[in-house]
Amino acid sequence: MARFNFQGEPPPEEQEEVCSLTLTQNVIAGRWKIIILWYLSRRTRRFNELQRLLPGISKGILTRQLRELEEDGMVHREVYKQVPPKVEYSLTIQGKGFIPVLDIMGEWGKKYMEKKQKELN
């Protein structure tokens, strides 16, 4: 990890890396965003479907997380002009580029869980 000087700044050669990590963290920050991205990486979903897949999330929080992901260019919101209105969410090209990161995180999580289970036994 980056060493910091007395002003809290990383050395110049590491500043760009820290900045890009901070940006990534800001895009995926939020309790539900990684899970939302994972479900959307599998296929296009409607709002109510996402809400069913995420027990414990409120309608307002899901709306906010989806809007933030849309503002960050990760999620596309398609509104169909029909009655009743139909809205679908899918990953953008930018969002699809994040799928390998999700896959690596999932693999790390599996290994971590296996290690923890072995420690309990």
Side-chain angles (χ1 to χ4, degrees):
M1 196 66 194
R3 295 174 315 277
F4 293 87
N5 63 23
F6 291 108
Q7 289 79 33
E9 295 290 323
E13 67 274 8
E14 296 177 1
Q15 284 182 358
E16 188 174 320
E17 184 177 335
V18 170
C19 182
S20 63
L21 286 171
T22 301
L23 177 61
T24 303
Q25 180 182 5
N26 289 339
V27 170
I28 63 172
R31 180 176 176 188
W32 303 98
K33 285 184 181 178
I34 291 175
I35 305 301
I36 291 167
L37 291 169
W38 186 83
Y39 278 121
L40 292 178
S41 75
R42 295 333 191 221
R43 65 181 175 87
T44 299
R45 309 275 183 168
R46 293 182 70 178
F47 184 90
N48 288 335
E49 183 180 6
L50 285 169
Q51 194 170 21
R52 280 192 304 274
L53 291 167
L54 302 166
I57 193 170
S58 71
K59 193 174 195 173
I61 296 295
L62 179 56
T63 299
R64 184 168 56 220
Q65 301 271 277
L66 285 166
R67 281 185 187 152
E68 289 173 5
L69 287 167
E70 186 179 8
E71 288 170 10
D72 289 329
M74 301 290 284
V75 169
H76 172 72
R77 180 177 184 258
E78 183 73 33
V79 180
Y80 296 91
K81 296 182 191 238
Q82 63 184 52
V83 177
K86 178 180 172 183
V87 179
E88 291 183 336
Y89 295 90
S90 60
L91 293 182
T92 62
I93 292 171
Q94 185 87 13
K96 289 177 183 175
F98 195 71
I99 292 173
V101 177
L102 291 170
D103 291 340
I104 289 169
M105 290 173 71
E107 286 302 313
W108 182 90
K110 285 178 190 175
K111 291 176 186 174
Y112 182 80
M113 188 169 41
E114 289 169 2
K115 180 180 181 256
K116 286 297 185 182
Q117 288 174 344
K118 287 179 183 176
E119 289 174 2
L120 293 174
N121 294 331

